[in-house]
Amino acid sequence: MSLAASAPGGAPQTDADGGYEELFGLWLDLEASLSMVLAHPQRVREFPAKIAQLDRWLRSLVQQDTDAALYLMFQLAGTSTVGYSASHALVCATLAHIAAAELGLPAAERDALVPAAMTMNVAMTALQDQLALQYERPSAAQRDAIRRHAIEGQEMLRLLGIANPLWLDAVGNHHADAAGLAAAQRPAPALRLVRLLGAIDRYAAVISPRKSRPGRSAADGMRAIMGGNAPRDEIGYALVRAVGLCPPGTFVLLDNGQTALVLRRGAVPNLPIVASLLDRRGEPLPQPRLHATAEGTPRIRAALARPALRTEPDHRTMLRLGRYAALHADGIEPPDTGLCQI
């Protein structure tokens, strides 16, 4: 489905069945649109309005099904065809949407945070794509461009018509030292957004693969924002709490030896609903098997980085299974789809 087909309110339309099969296509369309905007921002007519439109579309997707949005984020961040920079921006914006809801941010802060997440690297889009494809360490010229990109991005956005001070401040300071910013007695909303955007950026960078290294697990992402310690920081803890310890779209090793794909978050952060895909020998199962880990065995033994799979999961099937699982968890008996066993 193309994002050009939209409802009167500007949000993408979905089918009468709930739109779960369409979310995959919506994500790809949104990613492609964001890629074009970030690659040539000066060519975009009414740049602020275009970012606001993309924000509305993403909000619609996340609000339809947050677990499905997380699934797509974790699964597609490593296989994007539009380039690392746009994929990273969409991952960060999705995390910003979810974290803002978890923290209960005022609308003014949420409306600055999500666009800032989309545009914080606008001054280094091409460079970010290049860095993701190279094996060698950044050159001196590249390191200098990296150091300048936050301030240059802030100025570029100002020239493109962005006037929101919280948005501009978050972009210009998303790599700044939080302790130094706090010591400067910055207003609480500005400091909160800078800290949250920085945490989101670090988390997204860890889980996203590059040529020089594979993407790491969600547990590694959690350690990147928590410093390896137990969650104490309100900002980092809120992000981890919102996403989950084993988020949809990530892989886990079960205590029966099977490798499973997480489909839905559970009421308990480390007890999600999963679909087993590989047996203990690493061979594909005849069909996925759903497990509600909160109800007993099997339990999760460890979070996994993306394993080597002979074939990629069929994302539309996995999204349907996620819907099946959500209905089952609510005590509603779903139809026999033939897709799984419980």
Side-chain angles (χ1 to χ4, degrees):
M1 174 179 290
S2 170
L3 287 177
S6 58
Q13 294 177 347
T14 56
D15 58 26
D17 191 37
Y20 287 89
E21 294 185 53
E22 298 299 328
L23 292 178
F24 177 55
L26 292 175
W27 179 278
L28 296 180
D29 285 350
L30 182 54
E31 190 179 57
S33 296
L34 185 56
S35 176
M36 290 187 289
V37 170
L38 296 178
H40 305 288
Q42 293 88 349
R43 301 180 189 175
V44 178
R45 294 183 59 186
E46 299 183 358
F47 180 88
K50 183 62 177 179
I51 295 296
Q53 182 184 54
L54 295 176
D55 183 0
R56 288 194 301 273
W57 285 337
L58 179 58
R59 187 189 314 200
S60 175
L61 190 155
V62 172
Q63 288 179 343
Q64 283 183 64
D65 192 325
T66 301
D67 289 276
L70 283 169
Y71 173 92
L72 292 169
M73 187 191 82
F74 279 98
Q75 280 293 301
L76 301 183
T79 59
S80 173
T81 60
V82 302
Y84 178 91
S85 190
S87 175
H88 179 79
L90 186 52
V91 167
C92 289
T94 302
L95 290 170
H97 265 290
I98 296 170
E102 178 66 33
L103 282 165
L105 292 185
E109 293 183 36
R110 193 227 72 91
D111 291 345
L113 176 65
V114 176
M118 285 186 182
T119 59
M120 62 182 161
N121 296 316
V122 67
M124 59 174 289
T125 298
L127 174 59
Q128 198 172 31
D129 288 343
Q130 180 183 341
L131 290 170
L133 295 174
Q134 71 183 45
Y135 290 95
E136 62 273 15
R137 296 176 64 84
S139 67
Q142 288 174 329
R143 290 196 301 272
D144 185 55
I146 293 170
R147 282 193 297 269
R148 300 193 318 264
H149 86 275
I151 295 301
E152 290 183 351
Q154 182 186 58
E155 182 59 24
M156 181 183 293
L157 291 172
R158 187 177 287 113
L159 293 174
L160 288 168
I162 304 303
N164 185 320
L166 285 176
W167 177 350
L168 293 171
D169 185 74
V171 169
N173 292 285
H174 70 276
H175 285 304
D177 177 71
L181 292 171
Q185 297 183 333
R186 299 170 64 79
L191 178 60
R192 181 163 48 243
L193 293 195
V194 167
R195 292 175 59 204
L196 185 52
L197 189 58
I200 287 169
D201 192 25
R202 293 193 301 276
Y203 186 96
V206 167
I207 66 170
S208 300
R210 301 177 180 84
K211 285 290 185 183
S212 58
R213 64 156 178 84
R216 288 176 279 174
S217 70
D220 290 325
M222 179 186 71
R223 283 188 283 272
I225 60 176
M226 300 308 304
N229 300 317
R232 296 175 184 172
D233 177 76
E234 176 196 5
I235 296 295
Y237 184 41
L239 181 57
V240 172
R241 189 171 62 240
V243 173
L245 298 176
C246 301
T250 64
F251 292 92
V252 292
L253 177 65
L254 302 179
D255 60 10
N256 63 5
Q258 295 179 349
T259 298
L261 179 58
V262 179
L263 299 182
R264 313 288 296 191
R265 293 167 297 173
V268 179
N270 60 340
L271 296 176
I273 296 174
V274 306
S276 292
L277 300 181
L278 305 178
D279 65 20
R280 62 177 59 250
R281 298 182 304 275
E283 297 294 326
L285 294 171
Q287 60 182 358
R289 293 182 62 88
L290 279 176
H291 304 287
T293 60
E295 296 178 4
T297 58
R299 292 292 181 92
I300 293 172
R301 180 182 297 170
L304 298 175
R306 192 178 187 90
L309 301 175
R310 294 182 183 177
T311 59
E312 289 295 309
D314 184 300
H315 299 306
R316 292 176 177 83
T317 297
M318 293 297 107
L319 290 174
R320 289 200 301 272
L321 281 175
R323 184 184 186 215
Y324 182 109
L327 292 173
H328 186 269
D330 290 339
I332 301 172
E333 186 63 30
D336 181 7
T337 62
L339 289 171
C340 60
Q341 299 174 4
I342 299 258

